[in-house]
Amino acid sequence: MKLSGKVALITGASRGIGKAIAKVLNENGATVYLVARDAEKLSVVTHEIDPTGDTAFSCVCDITSETSIYEMFKRFKADNISFDILVNAAGIAKSSAIENLSLEQWDQVLDTNITAQMVLAKHCFEDMKEKGGGKIINIASILGTVASPGMSAYSASKGAVIMFTKTLAVELAKYNIQANAIAPGYINTDMTKKMMSDKELSQRLVARTPAGRLGDPEDVAKVALFLATEDSNYVTGAVIPVDGGMSVALM
């Protein structure tokens, strides 16, 4: 298997895109450490991915807390666990017009969607440098390059993810570490469930998507698998849209 012997850390792994990525990496040989805040849900997903408990492990952590991340990596170090692959899949969205957007909402979105990615990348960098290479995969969004009303905090965070990833790619190339981003379009996840329950809006989004459907978490996971393997060793600084063609279609 392509990822045999590799160890991956995946945030936002208790659901949606993060869960799908953790599953496909594990199916391809990686030992996976799933990170999320909900211990109960995380435990269920981890057992679902690997009922034996040998190759998938739960890591309860609040990634918006630098202290919580530090304590998690302290435990990893004590157990001689180091990472070849980091997938920053955790993310939240707060829809609010600018006149109603509070600083608390803004900070919550940016702390989760971009600041945590930076802190986690810093911690994993030392492992990857010591191992002679690694893969950093950040989940961005097509809303990091195009605007949607009410999504200023989310779009700002995802735009930052894109530029953070490109800068990482340039800085870390000399260590044989590849950093890439995936920019999903509208994917069927818990985050989009409420929006997709609006039948008229859902039909409008599908009509604007050349592929003729909304995406599934597995569509994103398959791209993450490519970016996690040696097949992508000469790919770095890329932002790969997984949106059924929405971002390139005029109508």
Side-chain angles (χ1 to χ4, degrees):
M1 290 186 282
K2 289 186 174 183
L3 294 175
S4 292
K6 301 297 184 182
V7 184
L9 184 69
I10 304 104
T11 69
S14 64
R15 61 181 185 171
I17 289 172
K19 175 183 174 181
I21 292 174
K23 185 172 185 291
V24 76
L25 297 189
N26 184 254
E27 288 172 346
N28 282 270
T31 297
V32 293
Y33 287 80
L34 285 69
V35 179
R37 283 184 290 192
D38 189 325
E40 185 176 349
K41 185 179 290 186
L42 190 60
S43 178
V44 170
V45 170
T46 303
H47 182 75
E48 180 184 324
I49 289 173
D50 174 30
T52 71
D54 294 331
T55 61
F57 303 93
S58 297
C59 305
V60 178
C61 178
D62 176 5
I63 62 166
T64 65
S65 165
E66 186 177 10
T67 300
S68 186
I69 292 174
Y70 173 79
E71 291 298 329
M72 179 174 68
F73 275 89
K74 187 178 177 181
R75 294 192 296 271
F76 289 147
K77 189 172 183 179
D79 293 333
N80 293 313
I81 298 163
S82 60
F83 296 98
D84 305 280
I85 302 159
L86 168 64
V87 182
N88 281 309
I92 61 170
K94 298 287 184 181
S95 180
S96 177
I98 190 66
E99 63 265 27
N100 299 318
L101 181 65
S102 69
L103 182 58
E104 182 182 6
Q105 289 173 313
W106 175 272
D107 286 343
Q108 189 178 8
V109 172
L110 269 72
D111 285 348
T112 304
N113 293 3
I114 178 61
T115 304
Q117 291 198 6
M118 181 276 291
V119 177
L120 286 156
K122 283 189 67 174
H123 279 279
C124 286
F125 164 69
E126 292 300 332
D127 290 350
M128 295 176 182
K129 180 181 176 182
E130 189 172 324
K131 289 186 171 191
K135 305 283 186 176
I136 298 174
I137 303 164
N138 296 327
I139 302 302
S141 168
I142 60 170
L143 291 184
T145 56
V146 295
S148 179
M151 300 300 288
S152 59
Y154 185 77
S155 286
S157 72
K158 293 303 185 177
V161 169
I162 288 170
M163 289 311 302
F164 175 61
T165 303
K166 291 182 178 184
T167 305
L168 278 182
V170 174
E171 287 186 2
L172 304 186
K174 63 185 176 183
Y175 301 109
N176 190 32
I177 299 170
Q178 290 83 51
N180 293 286
I182 302 173
Y186 290 93
I187 308 295
N188 289 307
T189 65
D190 289 347
M191 186 185 291
T192 61
K193 187 181 293 183
K194 184 178 179 181
M195 180 171 50
M196 297 312 174
S197 65
D198 182 332
K199 190 173 181 181
E200 183 181 341
L201 175 59
S202 180
Q203 289 176 340
R204 193 159 67 243
L205 291 173
V206 170
R208 288 191 56 192
T209 305
R213 67 174 178 88
L214 301 179
D216 293 315
E218 291 73 22
D219 293 315
V220 181
K222 290 169 186 175
V223 177
L225 175 61
F226 164 69
L227 294 175
T229 68
E230 292 185 357
D231 292 342
S232 62
N233 279 359
Y234 203 58
V235 179
T236 196
V239 181
I240 303 176
V242 180
D243 62 0
M246 177 181 278
S247 60
V248 295
L250 180 61
M251 295 181 67

